[in-house]
Amino acid sequence: MSSYSSAQLANFATRALLYEVSVNPKPGLVDPVSAGPHPDMTVFTFIDSSLSLQPYLQFCATAGAGWTAELPALFQQLRPAGVQAEKAMYQATGGVNTHKGAIFSLGILVAATAYQQAAPGAASVQAVVQQMLAGLTEQDFAHTAGKPAAALTAGEKLYLAHGLTGVRGEAEAGYPSVFAHGLPTLKQAQGSLNERLLDSLLAIVAHFEDTNLIHRAGTTAVVADAQAQAQAILDAGGTHTDAGKKLLAQMNSDFLRRNLSLGGSADMLILTTFLALVNGVI
Ligand SMILES: CC(C)(COP(=O)(O)OP(=O)(O)OC[C@H]1O[C@@H](n2cnc3c(N)ncnc32)[C@H](O[C@H]2O[C@H](COP(=O)(O)OP(=O)(O)OP(=O)(O)O)[C@@H](O)[C@H]2O)[C@@H]1O)[C@@H](O)C(=O)NCCC(=O)NCCS
Ligand SMILES: Nc1ncnc2[nH]cnc12
């Protein structure tokens, strides 16, 4: 991997946010052609949101590049910056949650990449993420049971009801959906860049427990259904084939009719795209 400046890493991260929203047609998500099941957002909301995050992404890259202490303490530096970034996002979007999950996950990955580049002999980026986040899930959920119901987030409710660890569990495990599925699929996918990124998204969906999806559906059974639909498109040859395109159109209609969102999976495509840009895969 080439070594990049903090400004270049922040630039890759912003491009990853903009590439993700541009990919179409995405089931359950906003793209330039359709808002899907998100009537409060358009592609322009995402452009505004993405640009509002530039100072935060630059902060994450700079913090990671200059870090010399224990890795969990790096994550503690990112968190308050993430809270500020959420405020900037809501200001840019008029109060709409476009990138809450991405602020968390992309910030972590940008900082880990910057750290890994700057530290000679450091472990892989995935291992750096795992070291940064060791114990996150247990610590974050430790006080959840004592919180008033009205103050619980969607992720906290799903943890209490079903033991699902959602974005925190995925992060602490070092984003396996990205490293084991999104990125390998992007590397070998065929067709245009748009089709390769679509296949990468579907590979993520096919192996992922998107708690955003479960929250919208109100049942964990929706995960197996989404996974099967995504896998069927890949098995048909991917989105560059006529058969794949036909199945993708059906999945889009189905998700729109059932008001299902794949917001967490979109975030994993953003992470995949960032790594692909850094590593010259796209
Ligand atoms: C740790 C934080 C992420 C806080 O988590 P929190 O408990 O507040 O929220 P969660 O519900 O757990 O998830 C937050 C977002 O993460 C994305 N996501 C969901 N599942 C996964 C998953 N399995 N893996 C990875 N990422 C996941 C998802 O974000 C995306 O979806 C949003 C758009 O969807 P949409 O349905 O339109 O939006 P909703 O707002 O849900 O509204 P409805 O319309 O359905 O009513 C979009 O944001 C995407 O990015 C989840 O939304 C982190 O925020 C954090 O630590 N923040 C710092 C502040 C802090 O420390 N807070 C204290 C928390 S410990
Ligand atoms: N394109 C998209 N549509 C809806 N939620 C998202 N979260 C991240 N990207 C998204």
Side-chain angles (χ1 to χ4, degrees):
M1 179 170 80
S2 314
S3 192
Y4 294 105
S5 68
S6 298
Q8 285 172 313
L9 289 178
N11 188 271
F12 284 137
T14 306
R15 282 172 66 193
L17 291 166
L18 294 172
Y19 279 33
E20 180 275 309
V21 74
S22 304
V23 172
N24 70 87
K26 292 194 297 291
L29 293 166
V30 177
D31 63 42
V33 181
S34 161
H38 299 273
D40 53 348
M41 314 176 190
T42 69
V43 66
F44 301 110
T45 326
F46 277 88
I47 292 170
D48 292 343
S49 175
S50 302
L51 295 185
S52 79
L53 300 181
Q54 278 185 313
Y56 164 71
L57 295 167
Q58 173 74 57
F59 171 86
C60 295
T62 307
W67 199 255
T68 52
E70 295 294 308
L71 280 168
L74 172 57
F75 176 57
Q76 297 313 325
Q77 292 263 316
L78 302 184
R79 240 170 169 184
V83 174
Q84 289 307 315
E86 279 182 21
K87 286 189 186 141
M89 171 192 81
Y90 282 121
Q91 203 167 12
T93 63
V96 177
N97 173 11
T98 40
H99 283 132
K100 185 176 170 189
I103 289 170
F104 179 75
S105 293
L106 188 58
I108 290 167
L109 193 63
V110 167
T113 304
Y115 174 87
Q116 201 262 356
Q117 280 192 165
S124 67
V125 171
Q126 186 177 30
V128 171
V129 170
Q130 288 164 337
Q131 287 168 29
M132 265 171 84
L133 305 183
L136 163 72
T137 308
E138 199 184 336
Q139 285 153 25
D140 257 27
F141 287 132
H143 307 292
T144 305
K147 266 176 109 172
L152 291 171
T153 66
E156 289 169 340
K157 282 184 197 153
L158 288 173
Y159 175 74
L160 289 177
H162 306 286
L164 300 176
T165 55
V167 60
R168 295 170 180 82
E170 177 69 15
E172 187 174 350
Y175 296 104
S177 64
V178 172
F179 286 95
H181 302 291
L183 200 52
T185 297
L186 185 56
K187 281 181 183 160
Q188 59 166 46
Q190 290 172 34
S192 65
L193 177 58
N194 184 62
E195 289 160 348
R196 292 171 66 205
L197 289 167
L198 273 174
D199 282 5
S200 182
L201 172 67
L202 292 167
I204 290 164
V205 174
H207 298 92
F208 193 50
E209 196 172 67
D210 190 329
T211 36
N212 204 242
L213 178 66
I214 299 169
H215 170 59
R216 284 271 187 121
T219 166
T220 53
V222 72
V223 174
D225 178 20
Q227 289 180 344
Q229 290 200 47
Q231 190 59 52
I233 298 168
L234 295 170
D235 289 347
T239 58
H240 76 288
T241 66
D242 288 344
K245 279 188 177 60
K246 200 169 156 201
L247 288 172
L248 179 63
Q250 285 170 15
M251 185 173 177
N252 269 319
S253 311
D254 181 52
F255 271 57
L256 191 56
R257 184 179 53 77
R258 293 161 70 195
N259 193 36
L260 296 177
S261 165
L262 286 169
S265 308
D267 295 339
M268 298 305 107
L269 179 61
I270 291 167
L271 302 198
T272 300
T273 306
F274 169 74
L275 290 172
L277 288 167
V278 169
N279 291 296
V281 172
I282 57 172

